[in-house]
């Protein structure tokens, strides 16, 4: 059996940008990676609507403040904090600070699988 070595890949922000903003969606399977992520850049009041994934998700707050709802728990997090959410548990977050909130939502999957629970939300935008 011959092993194939993985090739390092650089993915520039414009390649994975969501819409016209600064947020990005990295789908690991498209780049030879075993994880996926959302890089979120939100203004006060913005965030993700209620949804769930069939795998755990981990968020790292890079800047600002966010309030997460994970199941029946509400968690206030600030820059430097890490929040975790188990598989199949509905969750959402909102920028509850006064400035820009930036976070990384790490998906324990090479493919992002998301079930939105708010009918007005758009699919796959975290």
């Amino acid at each position: 059996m011959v092993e194939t070595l993985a090739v390092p890949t650089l993915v520039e922000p414009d390649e994975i940008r969501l819409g016209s903003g600064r947020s990005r969606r990295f789908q690991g399977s498209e780049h030879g990676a075993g994880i996926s992520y959302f890089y979120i850049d939100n203004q006060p009041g913005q965030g993700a609507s209620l949804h769930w994934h069939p795998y755990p998700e981990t968020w790292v707050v890079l800047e600002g403040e966010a309030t997460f709802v994970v199941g029946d728990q509400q968690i206030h997090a600030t820059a430097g904090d890490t929040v975790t959410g188990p598989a199949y548990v509905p969750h959402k977050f909102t920028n509850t600070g006064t400035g820009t909130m930036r976070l990384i939502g790490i998906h324990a999957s090479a493919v992002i699988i998301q079930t939105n629970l708010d009918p007005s939300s758009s699919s796959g935008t975290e």
Side-chain angles (χ1 to χ4, degrees):
M1 175 187 221
V2 176
E3 285 189 37
T4 303
L5 296 177
V7 177
T9 303
L10 171 67
V11 181
E12 296 190 10
D14 286 339
E15 294 178 54
I16 57 175
R17 190 166 313 281
L18 287 172
S20 61
R22 295 174 51 121
S23 293
R24 303 186 287 270
R25 181 179 195 250
F26 175 85
Q27 183 99 308
S29 63
E30 296 172 1
H31 306 282
I35 61 101
S36 299
Y37 71 83
F38 282 99
Y39 170 86
I40 304 297
D41 186 312
N42 284 162
Q43 294 307 306
Q46 295 179 323
S49 59
L50 195 64
H51 63 278
W52 60 268
H53 311 282
Y55 46 76
E57 185 171 7
T58 301
W59 302 274
V60 180
V61 180
L62 304 173
E63 179 180 341
E65 299 177 39
T67 298
F68 294 83
V69 174
V70 182
D72 61 1
Q73 293 187 33
Q74 186 168 324
I75 302 164
H76 181 76
T78 59
D81 289 340
T82 299
V83 177
T84 62
Y88 299 101
V89 175
H91 56 270
K92 65 181 182 174
F93 61 83
T94 305
N95 177 347
T96 50
T98 58
T100 299
M101 176 207 66
R102 292 186 178 94
L103 63 81
I104 299 278
I106 303 165
H107 293 241
S109 174
V111 177
I112 295 173
I113 302 167
Q114 179 167 309
T115 300
N116 292 316
L117 300 174
D118 177 354
S120 66
S121 69
S122 52
S123 174
T125 58
E126 182 54 12

